[in-house]
Amino acid sequence: HQVLQDLDFEAPDLQATEVVAQLLGRFGFEGKWAEPLSRAIADVLATTLADGAPPLRLHDIPSSRRLNELEFILPVADELLIERLGEATRPRPQSTALLTAARLAEVFARYAALPVPSGYAQQVRDLGFSALAGFLRGFIDLVFEHDGRWYVVDYKSNMLGPQAQDYRPPKLIEAMSQHHYFLQYHLYVVALHRYLASRVPDYDYDRHFGAVYYLFLRGMAPHHAHHNGVFHDRPPRILIERLSAVLAGE
């Protein structure tokens, strides 16, 4: 993660060896890993994320179009928070509600579409966390802008197997479900949706949001099968808006 955060994607060959060597030493790894790690990073940057003319690759994203480790804090059931802090000047609306797994699950059950599996809403319902109000804090590995659209990227180093075929799309779906990455990236998109609404003039989700890419780094290389190691989705607007509303306590 740190290598990808520090590296200039457009000039990896000039930086990779130096950046990798410095970070390996900082994190206590032997120098022998510098060459294979640099080669793996180059493969990640050269892998096609989306078809097009030209195709979209990390290699083509300039540093000026990147936000690395974008921090976000999402208020949850914020009307309740205001009351608890003693700052409310009016009665709390009856519609304000604590966040529960059941309320999250209802959003996925009603609005989720492929590639989210049809049974994923039940997995969310089974999370079983206590009803909450407060804040959700997180960091998005990478947000970048390309041709007027904004994209969410998360780097995953999961070991799904020793072969390239272990990182084909059906295998990625299994990992996405098992580790609740589906829920994770929908929260990321809500955070970016709110951020862009406050920053981009005339912001519109359909025009300005691009896609989510979960990059399973061990399976990525330009010579592998198409989409190997690359999970992507573009959540429906209604899902993101309803999820944002549920987080707000509506």
Side-chain angles (χ1 to χ4, degrees):
H1 281 67
Q2 192 68 50
V3 170
L4 289 166
Q5 181 178 332
D6 293 351
L7 196 63
D8 181 352
F9 292 167
E10 292 186 298
D13 295 338
L14 302 178
Q15 286 191 323
T17 302
E18 180 180 354
V19 170
V20 168
Q22 290 177 351
L23 292 175
L24 286 175
R26 182 190 306 175
F27 290 103
F29 289 93
E30 298 178 63
K32 67 180 182 180
W33 295 109
E35 191 278 331
L37 181 55
S38 297
R39 186 172 64 249
I41 292 295
D43 282 344
V44 168
L45 299 182
T47 297
T48 296
L49 304 186
D51 298 324
L56 177 61
R57 305 169 299 171
L58 290 182
H59 190 282
D60 304 314
I61 306 302
S63 297
S64 61
R65 297 298 182 182
R66 292 164 51 187
L67 293 171
N68 297 299
E69 291 293 316
L70 179 64
E71 181 180 10
F72 64 88
I73 299 176
L74 294 177
V76 177
D78 51 358
E79 288 288 340
L80 290 176
L81 281 173
I82 292 173
E83 287 190 358
R84 290 176 179 178
L85 293 172
E87 299 173 356
T89 58
R90 55 185 172 82
R92 175 170 58 87
Q94 292 299 313
S95 59
T96 304
L98 295 170
L99 180 66
T100 65
R103 300 188 75 227
L104 283 176
E106 185 66 18
V107 176
F108 281 94
R110 290 190 178 194
Y111 304 113
L114 292 176
V116 179
S118 59
Y120 185 67
Q122 186 58 49
Q123 288 182 247
V124 175
R125 188 172 285 107
D126 292 339
L127 283 172
F129 60 84
S130 300
L132 64 91
F135 295 93
L136 292 176
R137 177 173 180 255
F139 296 85
I140 304 174
D141 286 347
L142 173 65
V143 171
F144 71 84
E145 183 271 333
H146 177 72
D147 286 346
R149 291 181 178 268
W150 294 79
Y151 298 81
V152 168
V153 174
D154 199 273
Y155 308 124
K156 296 301 183 188
S157 57
N158 306 51
M159 170 61 82
L160 304 184
Q163 305 297 327
Q165 65 189 25
D166 296 319
Y167 298 85
R168 297 290 291 137
K171 294 289 188 180
L172 302 187
I173 295 295
E174 293 178 14
M176 296 293 294
S177 291
Q178 180 182 0
H179 300 290
H180 277 295
Y181 296 154
F182 287 118
L183 177 57
Q184 183 184 49
Y185 77 71
H186 282 88
L187 293 174
Y188 287 173
V189 175
V190 168
L192 181 61
H193 176 60
R194 292 184 180 184
Y195 179 80
L196 295 177
S198 69
R199 297 293 194 278
V200 176
D202 300 319
Y203 168 74
D204 178 78
Y205 180 88
D206 294 326
R207 288 189 293 114
H208 292 106
F209 182 74
V212 172
Y213 290 104
Y214 266 49
L215 305 183
F216 290 77
L217 307 177
R218 296 175 187 269
M220 295 177 66
H223 55 275
H224 286 170
H226 195 44
H227 295 311
N228 214 70
V230 178
F231 170 89
H232 76 280
D233 186 17
R234 190 172 188 274
R237 176 176 185 155
I238 185 62
L239 192 162
I240 297 304
E241 291 179 342
R242 292 308 307 151
L243 183 56
S244 181
V246 165
L247 289 170
E250 295 179 16

